[in-house]
Amino acid sequence: NSDSNQSEAPTSTTHDYSRLPTEMKEAIIEILKLSPLLNEEKLLLSMGIPKGSEVKKRLTRHISEALEIALAFAKPKIIWKIGPTESILPEFAHSRRLSRYLATPQYTALVVGTAGSEWEQRILSTEDPMQAYVFNVAATALARDTHCQASRALAQRYPQYAIGESLSPGTDALPLKLQTDLIRQLPIEKIGVRFDSENLFMQPLASVTSIIGFGEQVERAISIEDCDGITPNCPRCPDRNCRLR
């Protein structure tokens, strides 16, 4: 992929391993530093502007500036917990939807992703309302992209397993209260994220959570091929805004 706005695949800050042994009984927690994968099309789609629509010059200028600054300052990252489903599921309050989703995958990844406090500080420092709006849209796009990069990282690391479509508390028919159970299992402060357990929101605001089941069988699998390929195979890729589509 020759796009200058997309960088290398995410890299882990800890040791790498090719597979999670079936006999493994304890979960692993890791931090992954991600590349800020943004482009103009993604930002326009996040604003609700369809591809091919006419865009005002002022907005185009702000988007170009935001992309340049994001590549320099944004530090998206995730922290995840990977382990046997049988040890992770009991840590959650009972949810029929979650139990059904995790009924077949042998393993589960709990993910917290964030656009990073560095980017939020950049948003707070701007006095131009239009620029602040574009920066906020970029933050949302960066946070959402951590879902996609987490799924890709799992698919690349565990090619022998099917990767399930991710679920997030508060959406996908999962109760928002499960957010507390998910975050309680991760030292999110290590990636600069704080959680307000009373109001159930995270800081920085451009932070997201997801639950990903994976194994020999999953409820609904995604297929993530090598996105650097000349002819990428994109069916069921989680990144609906990927410009390779």
Side-chain angles (χ1 to χ4, degrees):
N1 183 4
S2 60
D3 180 16
S4 61
N5 288 330
Q6 298 202 19
S7 305
E8 297 294 327
T11 56
S12 172
T13 59
T14 59
H15 67 281
D16 190 18
Y17 51 91
S18 62
R19 65 181 60 214
L20 209 64
T22 302
E23 67 273 17
M24 184 175 180
K25 296 301 180 184
E26 295 190 9
I28 292 173
I29 293 177
E30 293 181 314
I31 294 173
L32 279 71
K33 294 180 179 179
L34 309 178
S35 299
L37 304 182
L38 280 181
N39 54 53
E40 181 176 338
E41 186 176 322
K42 278 188 176 183
L43 290 188
L44 289 174
L45 286 172
S46 295
M47 295 175 187
I49 301 176
K51 183 178 180 180
S53 299
E54 184 178 353
V55 182
K56 293 183 178 180
K57 290 183 179 180
R58 184 188 177 200
L59 179 57
T60 300
R61 176 172 57 82
H62 278 297
I63 288 176
S64 297
E65 291 175 356
L67 288 173
E68 183 178 349
I69 294 172
L71 290 174
F73 290 97
K75 297 185 182 346
K77 56 187 73 72
I78 67 173
I79 185 167
W80 65 13
K81 176 180 178 180
I82 303 173
T85 298
E86 64 182 12
S87 67
I88 289 180
L89 181 58
E91 297 296 324
F92 286 89
H94 176 67
S95 164
R96 285 184 292 179
R97 178 68 186 101
L98 184 59
S99 296
R100 185 167 68 250
Y101 173 72
L102 294 178
T104 53
Q106 297 106 305
Y107 304 108
T108 299
L110 306 180
V111 185
V112 174
T114 181
S117 58
E118 300 85 359
W119 190 244
E120 184 162 274
Q121 291 168 6
R122 172 64 60 166
I123 294 172
L124 295 174
S125 67
T126 183
E127 297 180 356
D128 184 326
M130 175 64 80
Q131 187 179 60
Y133 166 70
V134 175
F135 282 5
N136 271 298
V137 170
T140 300
L142 285 166
R144 287 176 177 171
D145 190 62
T146 63
H147 283 306
C148 303
Q149 293 205 51
S151 294
R152 288 197 186 103
L154 285 173
Q156 292 166 3
R157 183 177 290 190
Y158 308 117
Q160 73 275 28
Y161 293 135
I163 310 299
E165 290 189 339
S166 65
L167 300 184
S168 297
T171 62
D172 306 308
L174 285 185
L176 181 59
K177 65 182 181 180
L178 295 184
Q179 189 93 302
T180 300
D181 296 335
L182 189 159
I183 290 176
R184 179 169 46 81
Q185 300 183 57
L186 287 165
I188 59 172
E189 68 279 358
K190 290 187 176 181
I191 60 169
V193 175
R194 301 183 303 279
F195 179 60
D196 183 332
S197 58
E198 182 176 348
N199 297 300
L200 301 180
F201 71 84
M202 292 180 288
Q203 195 76 23
L205 293 177
S207 301
V208 294
T209 59
S210 61
I211 301 169
I212 306 172
F214 66 99
E216 294 175 0
Q217 291 186 329
V218 296
E219 180 183 79
R220 190 173 182 181
I222 57 175
S223 177
I224 307 174
E225 300 296 333
D226 183 1
C227 290
D228 291 328
I230 296 175
T231 306
N233 186 350
C234 299
R236 305 214 56 74
C237 171
D239 188 354
R240 301 303 178 199
N241 297 331
C242 179
R243 66 195 304 253
L244 291 176
R245 286 181 174 277

